[in-house]
Amino acid sequence: MGTVGLSFGSPTSGTGFDVSATVSAIVGNLKNVETPWKTQLTALQSQDTAISSLGTLMSKLSSDMSSLTNLTGIMAQKTGSSSDTNVLQLTAASSSATAGTHTVVVNSLATTSSGYLTPITNASDTLSGSITLQVGSGKPQTITLNSSSNTLAGLAAAINASGVGITASKLTDSSGSRLSLVSGTSGARGLITISANSIIDTSKSNAALDYTASPVVPADAQITVDGNSLTSASNTVTDLIPGLTFQLLSPSAKESDGSLETVQVVIGNDVTDVESTINTMVSDYNSLISAVKTQEGLDSSGNAEPLFGSPTLSLLQQQLMGALNTQNPNGSLDSITTNSNTVLSGSISIQAAGGVIQNFVVGPVPSTGPAANTYYTGTDNNSLDALAAAINAATGPVALGYSGTAGSDTVPSSGTLVATSSNPVSGSLSIQVGSGNAQNIVIGAVPATGAAANTIYTGNAAGYNTLSGVAAAINAGSALGFTAAVTTTDGIQTLTLTSGTAGSDGTLTVTPSLQVAGTGFTAAVVTSGTASSLSLFSQTAGSGGALSVSSNLSATSDARLIYSGTAGSSTQVSLGALTSVADPGDTLSGSISIQVGGGAAQTVTLNSSNNTLAGLRDAINSSNLGVTASIGTDSSGLSNLVLESGTAGSAGTLTVNSSILDTTNTTTAALNYSNSSDLSTLANLGITASATADGTLSFDATTLTSALNSDFSGVVGFFQNANSWGQHFSTMLNNSGNSSSSGMLSLVNRSNSSTESTLNADVSREESMISAQQKSLTAELISANEILQQLPSQLDGINQIYSAITGYNSNKG
C-alpha cells in the first residue's frame, strides 16, 4: 500500500489543508486491495459470457440431433402422392406409414342419409307436435315442440341440441321453407329413421309436415386396396392403408376394356426435410467449432479471449471430436443387467459381407481341438467382455507358423502349416531343401515387372488365396525338391510339405510369411446405467460390409432384491421392503447400504454365515443402524425383508441401496441380435472433415441423397437405434452442454458462480470497511484541520501574553 502525506504549507499559516482530497487519496489507496478481486471477477464474468454462448450453440446442435434421433421426428415423416387427384386425394401420412406403392380402385363413394319435411310458405309459421328420430342403431330421440321451438328455426335448433346425431337446418327458396335433415354418420350405419311424426303447421289449418327421405340410399364406400375388397363408412378413409388418410372424391373411371381405373398411391420418406435437417446440423456444428477456435486465440486488440488456455475448452474439443468420429455399430445384442451376476452361454455366428461364417463360443476349447472358423472365450470367461475380447482377437490377420522335422536316412523331412479359419490367405512362403537355393511361393499374380528369381506365384484364378492354392502352385513347379498336400478335417486345413530327398541333405527349412485374413468386424461392450450390451462393427463401410448374425446366446442372471419404501412423516415412520423371494431359505449374496435421515450410510455385507433372509435380518439388527429389520409376507404369500426406521418424521427417512442377489433364483433369457445399420461413419452420409483442417465439417448433399434413397433404414438406424452414432453423439452433447444440470458447461458455470460469490462478498466486506474508515478519517481530519486553522490566533494570543510579561514587542523587531 502506498503512503499518503498531508500537504498544508506552513503549519502556522492558518490555511489548513484540503480534507476532501486527502480522504480521497487515502481511500483510493485502501481500494487497491480490491483491484485483483475485481480483475478476477471481470475475467470470470467474461468466461461466463463465452460459456453461455458456447452453451447456446450446443443447445442448437442438440436440438438438431433431437429431430434426427426422435422416433417420431423428421425421420418418421412421410410424403405421398396420388396418380389421379380427381378420384383420390391424400390428406395425411403419419409416422406409422411405410414407404411403398399401393393400388386403389374406387368402386363407389360412401353416401349419407338425408331427407326433409314438407315445405311451408312462411318460415315463421307456428308449429306444434313432436317427432321421433333415430340414426342407425342409435337411441331414438323425441323432440316435442314448445313455445321456444315452435318454428322451423326453433325445431332445427332443438334437433341439433338433442345429440341424436342429425344436423337440421332451415332451407328457403322461391317455393318456401323446409326443414332439412342430414345424418351425422355417413355410410350404411347412418340411416335416418323417423318412427313417429306429428308435426303440424297451426298457422295453416294444422297441415301435416311429413318426412320425405332422399332418394340416395346411405351406403359405405366400396374400394379395392392392393387387391383386397374393403369398405369405408366415410369418404375420408383412415388407416385402411396403415398411417395414411385420403379423401375419396369420385368413383374410378371405366377404362377402354371395361375395367375400373387403378389409382397409384405412393408413400415416400421425407428425404428433402431430412437432408435439410442434416445440413442444419452440420452448419450448427461448424458454428460451434468456429466459436471454440475463436476462444483459443486473441481478440482484435491482441488480448487473450476469455477461455484462452482453459482446460474446459480442451476437454470440450476432445469430447466433440471423439463423439464425432465414433463408429456406428452394425447391430447389438439385447441388453443384460450388469449387477445380477449374469453369465453367458451358447454361441454366436457372424458373417461379414457374405464371407466365411465365423463362430464364437462361450467356453473353453474342446478336448478334440477347435472347430474350423470357431473361436472360444476360454475357461470361466463367460461375460460380455470375454466375448468381445474373443471377437476382437479374431479381427486381425493370423500368422501361420511352421512345425517340421529334420530328415533321416529312413524318413524324409516334413512339416505342416495349420489354418483354423478358411478365410483368404496372403503373403509368401520361403522353402529351402538342405543347402540348396530357397524357393519363394508368393500368393498372387506375377508382377508387371516380371517374376523374381526362384519364385513361384499362385496366380489370381479361383482358390489362389487358399492353402490348396499354395499346394497347387508348389506341385506345379518343376524339380523343386519338395511336394505339398492339403488335408481338411472338420473344416481345419493343414498344408503338409514333404522333402524329396532323404537324410539331412533333404531337411526342409521353411520361413512362413503367410497370414489368414481376420474376420472383418470388431465388438465393443456398451454400458448405460445398470445395463450392458454387445455392439458389432463391420470394418467395411456400407452395404458391402453388412453383417449377418445368428445368436444362440443366453444370459443367466440372479434375481436382484430391490428396495422400495416410503419417506417418514409426522404420522408415519419410514418403512419399506426388499423384493420378495420364493423361499426364505434361498442363498443370498451382495451387500446393502442403509442411511437414516442425514446420517452416514452404513453397509452390511453378506457372507457364508448370514447369506439367507434371516441372516440378513440378524446382521442388520445387530449393527445398530437405527433400523429394525424383520421378515414379512407380501400379498402373494412370499417372504421379504421389511425395514422400519427407528426415527420418526422426515429425519428418519430411509435411503437404501441394495445389491443383494438371490443366487438360488436365476432366470435365463435369450440374447437376440438386432441389426442397426450398415452405415459405419458420417462419411457414408457425405459428412467429412474439412480440407482446411480447422475442425469444421464438409457436406456433400449428393452422397446423402444417394444414401437416403438407397438405404433409408440404414440412415434411420445410424441416428436412432441402440448404441447408434446419433444416440452416442446426443448423449455427449447433453453431458457436455449447459442444458443439463450435470453438463460440463453447467458445472463450470456453477464453479465460476461460486468463486464470483466469494469475490463479491470480499469486495462488499472491503467496501463496508473502507466506508467506515472514510467516515472516521473525514471526522478526524476535519478536527485536525480546524486546529491548524486556529493556530495563528492562538499564537497571537501567546505573543500578547509574552509581551505583557516581558515588555517585548515582537512586532517592533
Side-chain angles (χ1 to χ4, degrees):
M1 182 179 294
T3 301
V4 177
L6 298 178
S7 177
F8 44 76
S10 171
T12 59
S13 65
T15 57
F17 60 91
D18 188 341
V19 173
S20 177
T22 303
V23 170
S24 294
I26 294 172
V27 168
N29 220 12
L30 291 174
K31 285 192 173 183
N32 288 336
V33 175
E34 300 175 350
T35 301
W37 297 341
K38 290 184 175 180
T39 299
Q40 188 178 0
L41 268 172
T42 300
L44 287 173
Q45 288 163 356
S46 296
Q47 286 184 13
D48 291 343
T49 301
I51 289 171
S52 176
S53 178
L54 290 177
T56 299
L57 292 173
M58 291 190 74
S59 293
K60 288 183 65 178
L61 184 57
S62 183
S63 178
D64 299 336
M65 289 302 301
S66 293
S67 297
L68 295 167
T69 57
N70 190 333
L71 296 180
T72 59
I74 192 65
M75 292 281 197
Q77 303 309 307
K78 298 293 187 293
T79 61
S81 64
S82 166
S83 63
D84 190 340
T85 55
N86 293 317
V87 175
L88 184 152
Q89 178 74 54
L90 267 68
T91 56
S94 71
S95 59
S96 62
T98 302
T101 300
H102 303 274
T103 59
V104 179
V105 175
V106 182
N107 300 286
S108 63
L109 298 179
T111 53
T112 303
S113 180
S114 64
Y116 59 92
L117 298 185
T118 303
I120 60 178
T121 304
N122 190 346
S124 61
D125 282 357
T126 301
L127 310 179
S128 69
S130 63
I131 185 170
T132 301
L133 309 99
Q134 181 180 7
V135 175
S137 59
K139 182 179 180 180
Q141 296 274 0
T142 298
I143 310 299
T144 301
L145 299 185
N146 54 40
S147 59
S148 64
S149 60
N150 59 358
T151 62
L152 279 183
L155 177 56
I159 292 173
N160 291 334
S162 70
V164 70
I166 295 174
T167 299
S169 57
K170 182 189 73 172
L171 301 180
T172 301
D173 60 13
S174 59
S175 63
S177 299
R178 72 189 71 189
L179 186 75
S180 171
L181 301 176
V182 179
S183 175
T185 302
S186 61
R189 290 179 296 174
L191 176 66
I192 295 176
T193 301
I194 308 296
S195 56
N197 178 17
S198 62
I199 302 294
I200 59 174
D201 185 351
T202 60
S203 300
K204 292 292 185 293
S205 304
N206 295 330
L209 272 61
D210 297 326
Y211 175 75
T212 302
S214 168
V216 178
V217 178
D220 292 344
Q222 304 292 322
I223 60 177
T224 303
V225 178
D226 297 331
N228 300 298
S229 296
L230 303 171
T231 61
S232 172
S234 170
N235 289 320
T236 300
V237 181
T238 301
D239 283 340
L240 280 186
I241 298 176
L244 200 65
T245 299
F246 53 88
Q247 191 74 30
L248 303 179
L249 301 177
S250 69
S252 294
K254 280 192 176 183
E255 304 285 15
S256 58
D257 61 358
S259 63
L260 294 178
E261 171 197 12
T262 298
V263 179
Q264 300 290 323
V265 176
V266 179
I267 308 302
N269 298 307
D270 192 358
V271 171
T272 300
D273 283 348
V274 173
E275 288 177 342
S276 176
T277 303
I278 292 178
N279 185 39
T280 300
M281 179 200 77
V282 172
S283 177
D284 287 343
Y285 178 87
N286 287 342
S287 295
L288 174 60
I289 288 297
S290 296
V292 170
K293 282 288 185 182
T294 297
Q295 289 297 315
E296 291 181 321
L298 306 178
D299 62 18
S300 57
S301 301
N303 300 314
E305 293 284 353
L307 296 179
F308 181 85
S310 168
T312 299
L313 210 60
S314 300
L315 182 58
L316 179 59
Q317 283 181 308
Q318 292 173 13
Q319 291 181 339
L320 283 169
M321 296 304 296
L324 190 73
N325 294 319
T326 297
Q327 185 178 355
N328 186 59
N330 292 79
S332 303
L333 291 175
D334 293 339
S335 296
I336 62 174
T337 304
T338 56
N339 56 0
S340 297
N341 283 346
T342 304
V343 296
L344 303 186
S345 60
S347 63
I348 183 171
S349 299
I350 309 171
Q351 182 182 30
V356 177
I357 296 176
Q358 314 289 341
N359 302 301
F360 297 88
V361 178
V362 177
V365 178
S367 58
T368 54
N373 305 309
T374 302
Y375 307 86
Y376 303 84
T377 62
T379 304
D380 296 329
N381 290 330
N382 50 11
S383 65
L384 279 182
D385 288 326
L387 179 59
I391 292 173
N392 291 332
T395 298
V398 178
L400 296 185
Y402 176 78
S403 176
T405 60
S408 69
D409 292 340
T410 57
V411 179
S413 177
S414 64
T416 58
L417 295 96
V418 180
T420 57
S421 168
S422 57
N423 290 342
V425 179
S426 61
S428 61
L429 187 66
S430 173
I431 306 171
Q432 181 181 11
V433 180
S435 58
N437 293 326
Q439 303 292 328
N440 299 307
I441 292 85
V442 176
I443 296 178
V446 177
T449 55
N454 302 315
T455 302
I456 296 173
Y457 299 87
T458 61
N460 283 335
Y464 76 96
N465 55 355
T466 63
L467 289 185
S468 296
V470 173
I474 290 173
N475 294 332
S478 57
L480 296 180
F482 55 88
T483 58
V486 173
T487 57
T488 301
T489 304
D490 294 330
I492 298 175
Q493 289 187 321
T494 301
L495 175 69
T496 301
L497 299 173
T498 304
S499 174
T501 304
S504 59
D505 290 342
T507 295
L508 297 179
T509 303
V510 178
T511 305
S513 295
L514 292 177
Q515 293 181 326
V516 177
T519 57
F521 48 84
T522 59
V525 176
V526 179
T527 299
S528 177
T530 60
S532 293
S533 64
L534 184 82
S535 291
L536 296 177
F537 304 83
S538 174
Q539 292 181 307
T540 302
S543 58
L547 300 180
S548 178
V549 180
S550 176
S551 172
N552 293 304
L553 293 168
S554 59
T556 301
S557 305
D558 296 332
R560 186 175 173 218
L561 305 190
I562 300 172
Y563 176 82
S564 59
T566 59
S569 68
S570 58
T571 58
Q572 182 180 348
V573 296
S574 183
L575 186 71
L578 296 182
T579 307
S580 301
V581 297
D583 188 326
D586 283 359
T587 301
L588 309 181
S589 69
S591 63
I592 186 170
S593 169
I594 303 174
Q595 180 182 10
V596 180
Q602 305 289 330
T603 300
V604 175
T605 302
L606 296 182
N607 53 45
S608 58
S609 65
N610 62 4
N611 59 357
T612 62
L613 212 56
L616 177 58
R617 175 201 61 194
D618 295 342
I620 292 174
N621 289 335
S622 64
S623 298
N624 297 318
L625 305 180
V627 174
T628 299
S630 61
I631 297 177
T633 303
D634 67 11
S635 58
S636 300
L638 300 177
S639 299
N640 58 11
L641 185 79
V642 178
L643 298 177
E644 182 176 353
S645 176
T647 304
S650 59
T653 294
L654 298 181
T655 302
V656 180
N657 291 312
S658 169
S659 61
I660 302 292
L661 301 177
D662 183 351
T663 61
T664 305
N665 181 15
T666 61
T667 57
T668 300
L671 294 187
N672 298 310
Y673 177 82
S674 298
N675 184 61
S676 176
S677 174
D678 54 14
L679 303 177
S680 300
T681 65
L682 283 172
N684 301 135
L685 303 179
I687 303 171
T688 56
S690 174
T692 58
D694 60 358
T696 58
L697 299 175
S698 296
F699 176 49
D700 180 6
T702 302
T703 301
L704 176 60
T705 300
S706 176
L708 288 170
N709 288 332
S710 64
D711 190 12
F712 190 84
S713 63
V715 178
V716 173
F718 187 89
F719 285 99
Q720 296 183 359
N721 285 351
N723 305 327
S724 66
W725 180 91
Q727 298 292 346
H728 179 81
F729 194 73
S730 291
T731 299
M732 181 280 300
L733 291 174
N734 291 333
N735 291 341
S736 298
N738 57 10
S739 58
S740 166
S741 60
S742 60
M744 181 178 67
L745 295 185
S746 293
L747 295 176
V748 173
N749 267 332
R750 284 209 296 275
S751 175
N752 279 4
S753 179
S754 176
T755 304
E756 288 165 17
S757 295
T758 300
L759 290 171
N760 279 319
D762 290 342
V763 170
S764 179
R765 190 166 48 251
E766 186 70 15
E767 289 286 346
S768 296
M769 183 188 72
I770 290 173
S771 178
Q773 288 185 342
Q774 182 178 12
K775 185 176 181 180
S776 174
L777 277 170
T778 300
E780 291 174 1
L781 290 177
I782 288 174
S783 177
N785 195 39
E786 290 174 348
I787 293 173
L788 287 173
Q789 290 174 341
Q790 293 172 1
L791 277 177
S793 63
Q794 291 176 349
L795 287 173
D796 184 59
I798 291 172
N799 283 335
Q800 291 178 8
I801 294 172
Y802 179 76
S803 296
I805 295 173
T806 62
Y808 175 76
N809 187 348
S810 61
N811 293 325
K812 292 182 179 181

